Amino acid sequence: MLECKVITSDGVTLATTDWQGAGPELVLLHGLGPDQRSVRRLAEALTPSFRVITYDQRCVGGSTEGPWTFDIAVGDLQAVIADVGLTSPAVVGHSLGGMIGLMYAADRPDCPGVVNIDGWGPGTPDQFVGEDPDDVRRVMKQIGELKPDTRFGRAVVGLVQRRPSVRRTEPMRKAVISALWDLDVMELHRRVICPVLAFN
């Protein structure tokens, strides 16, 4: 039987789901595009072997609005873990959720493991092997502007606004996209000492 409840983190309420399950503890995080419904089938598949917890990140779905930074997002994850009474969960995250999971583990050497599903961000120009860094910077600048009248802008807006509809605030989306340009996920991977499974 699912247990859904709302917890508070730094003045924001977070909609959580305890999938019950039996076994090691696991928190499953959705990405920027969807809410926790996007990981429902994965949560259901994992519950025979894990106690699975999911939640809507702040400014998304059933959770309320508040300021957004990566540090705040990690604080929300810690608040969910504490409120639910988990002791040492592994963290599995898709896209933005994978990056939040890595940040959590980077400061928690006792974390048993992280799975990062497609959480890479744009990277830095020197990481594009064989490409001229100035060309990479130019393309990254174009992508970073996310102009809605460009082909890329329309694709991103379509992805973020896909159905089923998800309540997501525009300030949160802008804060996340801005923060991604300052994040070196490869350096973040190097900081984490627990086992990490990462893939595109």
Side-chain angles (χ1 to χ4, degrees):
M1 178 78 129
L2 297 181
E3 181 182 332
C4 300
K5 71 176 189 173
V6 174
I7 70 142
T8 301
S9 173
D10 195 25
V12 170
T13 60
L14 304 173
T16 70
T17 304
D18 186 341
W19 295 83
Q20 303 297 303
E25 303 165 336
L26 187 146
V27 179
L28 189 52
L29 299 171
H30 65 81
L32 174 61
D35 59 18
Q36 67 178 316
R37 292 176 296 177
S38 68
V39 294
R40 176 186 57 82
R41 290 178 65 187
L42 183 55
E44 291 170 344
L46 291 170
T47 54
S49 303
F50 296 91
R51 177 174 180 206
V52 180
I53 306 295
T54 63
Y55 66 96
D56 286 337
Q57 295 181 42
R58 64 173 52 215
C59 307
V60 176
S63 296
T64 60
E65 298 179 29
W68 194 97
T69 66
F70 273 114
D71 287 341
I72 289 170
V74 171
D76 289 346
L77 171 58
Q78 292 168 329
V80 169
I81 289 168
D83 189 273
V84 175
L86 304 180
T87 55
S88 185
V91 180
V92 176
H94 168 244
S95 191
L96 176 63
M99 292 180 255
I100 293 167
L102 286 170
M103 289 188 174
Y104 169 79
D107 294 329
R108 306 275 313 193
D110 60 331
C111 180
V114 175
V115 179
N116 176 10
I117 305 167
D118 211 18
W120 296 99
T124 59
D126 61 298
Q127 293 169 337
F128 291 78
V129 177
E131 299 294 333
D132 181 329
D134 289 334
D135 289 341
V136 173
R137 279 187 200 86
R138 182 179 46 75
V139 171
M140 290 174 87
K141 182 177 184 296
Q142 290 172 344
I143 292 170
E145 292 172 353
L146 288 177
K147 293 180 179 174
D149 58 339
T150 66
R151 191 170 87 196
F152 186 78
R154 286 189 298 274
V156 169
V157 168
L159 175 69
V160 171
Q161 294 179 340
R162 68 180 179 239
R163 301 287 185 243
S165 63
V166 174
R167 184 196 61 78
R168 178 183 315 92
T169 67
E170 186 67 11
M172 182 262 196
R173 186 187 69 79
K174 287 181 177 177
V176 170
I177 290 171
S178 175
L180 288 177
W181 295 109
D182 297 327
L183 178 65
D184 182 347
V185 175
M186 298 308 291
E187 186 278 331
L188 181 57
H189 272 270
R190 287 190 287 272
R191 285 178 37 212
V192 177
I193 63 171
C194 71
V196 176
L197 172 62
F199 54 95
N200 265 346

